[in-house]
Amino acid sequence: MRIRTLVATLAMAPALAVGAGTAVAAPSATADSCASTMIFEVGGHGDPEASVYDRTNATLPAGTAFIKIRYSASIAPFPGDTVSMDDSVAEGIAKLDAEVRTFHAACPDSHISISGYSQGAIVAGDELNALSQEDAIPHGQINGVLYGDPRRPGVNGGPGGIEGNLPTILPGLSMRGPRAFGDIAVQEICNKNDGICHSENPITNLLGFANGVAGYFLGDHAYDIDPSAVSGSGDQLIDQPPRVPHGAPLPLPIGTPWEMWNGDLSRAQSEVGSVRGLVAAQLTPEMRDRLAEFPWLSVP
């Protein structure tokens, strides 16, 4: 499905009925052609068209519309990908930012909801972080809904996303840690077995970390996506029975590998290589054969 873009010709404005998937009027259009709420949608890895939102887009409430952000959605060295995660995320942020600002200029009284899933949650979350640091759009007119966010902050000392747990081991696959959203209302939604947004420290809880990898392969990185039904700020950690039995982390004051080795590429590669071997021993042969599909454990 094509990305919905702002229409530049005022003559087209009468045809722009507000509803799911409609386009949005140009800055010169009347307020009647503006959606009350516009949801900006960013898909995850391998989903450049944000098709993960299609089901809910078909049943959006009256007055709510959507704009999909098309980008490469690539995470090289994932098999078959050629664009690095860093370049793909930067591309997504640039396109999302342009769409958001153009829409706000056209419809300054409309509410803006920014939603992303997985890699798209990096894009959406980084844009929300940037908007929280400026006043170009009133913060009360913005909210965010992030699903399976790799940069999700840990809550009350608990595990956060994988980008704050494992260090950078490959150029182009930068692990940048958690980020905040200031006074913009953002909901982080994460499954407990999803090792992308709930990644246990492998030093203090190896089995817990392996559980997150297994959950990623076994479908726990999937979500019931409906940003129109979510509001306010918070962190929804959805409890699940574990895929790999494990207990609580060891009560030791040891930081995550990201906290200890990010920025030291050689040491990070060595340590993550050791983690990969230990994790592989906890996985089924089928999952071990698929570890190349978990790029954050890839080592040269």
Side-chain angles (χ1 to χ4, degrees):
M1 182 179 293
R2 292 184 178 180
I3 182 174
R4 268 57 179 185
T5 56
L6 297 182
V7 182
T9 307
L10 178 58
M12 296 178 64
L16 300 177
V18 173
T22 58
V24 187
S28 55
T30 66
D32 290 342
S33 63
C34 291
S36 298
T37 296
M38 182 61 75
I39 303 175
F40 293 83
E41 302 168 347
V42 193
H45 171 244
D47 184 18
E49 303 283 349
S51 61
V52 72
Y53 289 88
D54 286 351
R55 181 191 60 79
T56 189
N57 284 344
T59 59
L60 288 176
T64 299
F66 67 89
I67 293 174
K68 291 187 172 195
I69 304 303
R70 176 184 290 168
Y71 73 120
S72 54
S74 176
I75 307 180
F78 186 92
D81 283 1
T82 58
V83 179
S84 73
M85 185 178 77
D86 290 357
D87 287 346
S88 185
V89 167
E91 174 196 356
I93 292 171
K95 291 181 175 180
L96 172 60
D97 185 69
E99 291 281 5
V100 166
R101 293 177 191 277
T102 302
F103 173 75
H104 180 67
C107 304
D109 297 325
S110 296
H111 187 82
I112 290 171
S113 182
I114 299 175
S115 180
Y117 163 66
S118 192
Q119 184 179 8
I122 303 177
V123 173
D126 288 4
E127 173 69 4
L128 287 160
N129 171 267
L131 290 172
S132 75
Q133 299 178 56
E134 57 171 83
D135 297 318
I137 303 173
H139 296 181
Q141 288 180 231
I142 309 170
N143 80 291
V145 186
L146 307 180
Y147 299 90
D149 178 16
R151 298 190 69 186
R152 170 182 167 267
V155 177
N156 297 325
I162 196 167
E163 283 207 27
N165 190 17
L166 295 184
T168 300
I169 57 171
L170 294 172
L173 192 67
S174 298
M175 309 296 272
R176 295 180 294 143
R179 36 67 173 122
F181 309 108
D183 60 354
I184 292 179
V186 176
Q187 282 279 356
E188 293 268 13
I189 300 174
C190 177
N191 290 328
K192 198 168 185 179
N193 288 344
D194 182 359
I196 301 303
C197 58
H198 186 263
S199 186
E200 293 272 4
N201 185 339
I203 300 172
T204 58
N205 196 345
L206 176 67
L207 293 178
F209 180 84
N211 177 72
V213 177
Y216 175 79
F217 287 131
L218 294 173
D220 295 323
H221 189 50
Y223 292 86
D224 182 12
I225 290 180
D226 187 1
S228 68
V230 180
S231 62
S233 297
D235 185 278
Q236 300 182 36
L237 182 62
I238 301 167
D239 199 18
Q240 297 173 303
R243 301 289 190 172
V244 176
H246 63 280
L250 296 173
L252 300 174
I254 299 174
T256 66
W258 184 83
E259 291 169 328
M260 293 192 291
W261 303 310
N262 202 49
D264 185 344
L265 188 61
S266 178
R267 179 71 184 274
Q269 290 173 342
S270 174
E271 298 293 345
V272 171
S274 297
V275 168
R276 179 189 172 101
L278 293 170
V279 168
Q282 308 302 322
L283 303 177
T284 65
E286 179 185 19
M287 286 188 279
R288 286 198 292 271
D289 290 342
R290 295 179 60 193
L291 272 176
E293 299 173 28
F294 198 84
W296 304 272
L297 284 178
S298 299
V299 289

